[in-house]
Amino acid sequence: MDLNTLAQPLRDRLFDNGTKHTDVFSITESTSSVSLEFYSVKADSDSAIKNGAAFTAYTLVDGTGVLTPTSAFANGDKIEVIYQYYKYTDSQLLSYIKKSVQYITGLDSDTNILTVSGDTLTSDTTSTFTGGVQDLLISQAQLLLMKDQFIFDAQSAVSFKDGELSVNKATKTDAQERALGMLEKEVKKMRDDYIVSHCVGKAIIDGLSG
């Protein structure tokens, strides 16, 4: 199974299907390219305006956010680029999907060994993977990613007093913690169901979900 096929379902779970943004460039000297603020650009979501008119004579590399005009921009040009960007790149999502494989490899029977080679997941007993296995991989990847995001946000959350005003910036992480707890329960149930259907009689060490 090509693990890249799980990237979009994972992106859907994360509600990361594109955030609209506009970059404005005031050119002060001739230049052959400009770099967008966000480089993980959603494919075919971009459009541009040059000096007040629609502009299409350019190429944009979605993975780098580098926009290159057919002819160099000149001093005095004003360029607006409207596009949608992803919070997570395809490679980041794929990385978490690959990490999730190790959390289910040990759950299967000793005769069904899951192996990742490049971006491909293989098994020594089957060439196909059921929707249940795919859902478990996606949910485990989502859990791992949310845990990392939660740690980052928790480190950024502070509570302080500004004169008579109490300011609490931890509200978002409190909500994330509740969502994380619910997802952990969901993934644990999926893992338990997987164990029952694949590993009857095999001892499983708890805590594989992270």
Side-chain angles (χ1 to χ4, degrees):
M1 177 175 64
D2 184 356
L3 293 176
N4 287 287
T5 62
L6 303 183
Q8 186 56 52
L10 176 57
R11 192 179 295 284
D12 292 339
R13 293 274 192 96
L14 299 167
F15 301 101
D16 183 30
N17 281 304
T19 300
K20 189 173 182 180
H21 187 75
T22 300
D23 285 342
V24 179
F25 302 92
S26 296
I27 308 301
T28 57
E29 60 181 304
S30 178
T31 182
S32 59
S33 66
V34 293
S35 296
L36 303 183
E37 180 178 359
F38 300 99
Y39 63 88
S40 185
V41 180
K42 182 176 181 178
D44 301 321
S45 71
D46 56 286
S47 61
I49 299 172
K50 177 182 177 183
N51 300 326
F55 178 65
T56 59
Y58 69 89
T59 57
L60 174 63
V61 181
D62 299 335
T64 65
V66 175
L67 185 150
T68 304
T70 302
S71 300
F73 293 132
N75 179 28
D77 283 343
K78 181 178 181 181
I79 313 299
E80 295 181 54
V81 185
I82 302 94
Y83 61 99
Q84 294 183 52
Y85 68 91
Y86 294 128
K87 181 176 182 180
Y88 302 104
T89 65
D90 288 341
S91 60
Q92 285 176 311
L93 296 184
L94 182 60
S95 173
Y96 278 98
I97 291 169
K98 288 182 177 180
K99 288 178 183 178
S100 72
V101 174
Q102 65 182 298
Y103 288 94
I104 72 166
T105 297
L107 302 181
D108 217 333
S109 64
D110 291 327
T111 58
N112 183 13
I113 306 302
L114 302 178
T115 304
V116 175
S117 177
D119 296 343
T120 302
L121 178 67
T122 59
S123 166
D124 63 348
T125 61
T126 181
S127 60
T128 60
F129 293 87
T130 66
V133 174
Q134 294 181 33
D135 287 343
L136 180 54
L137 284 171
I138 293 168
S139 295
Q140 182 65 65
Q142 181 186 6
L143 180 59
L144 292 172
L145 192 152
M146 286 181 63
K147 282 185 174 181
D148 285 350
Q149 186 64 52
F150 174 73
I151 292 172
F152 175 82
D153 290 343
Q155 291 173 340
S156 303
V158 296
S159 297
F160 59 93
K161 285 186 69 67
D162 181 9
E164 296 300 318
L165 178 65
S166 294
V167 180
N168 180 17
K169 294 181 65 177
T171 303
K172 181 179 179 182
T173 55
D174 290 343
Q176 286 176 320
E177 187 170 16
R178 290 192 295 271
L180 187 60
M182 293 175 62
L183 180 59
E184 285 183 315
K185 291 180 180 179
E186 176 186 336
V187 172
K188 184 178 185 304
K189 183 180 185 305
M190 295 175 69
R191 289 175 58 249
D192 291 345
D193 291 344
Y194 183 81
I195 292 169
V196 169
S197 62
H198 290 75
C199 313
V200 176
K202 182 181 179 183
I204 301 297
I205 299 175
D206 194 19
L208 289 176
S209 64

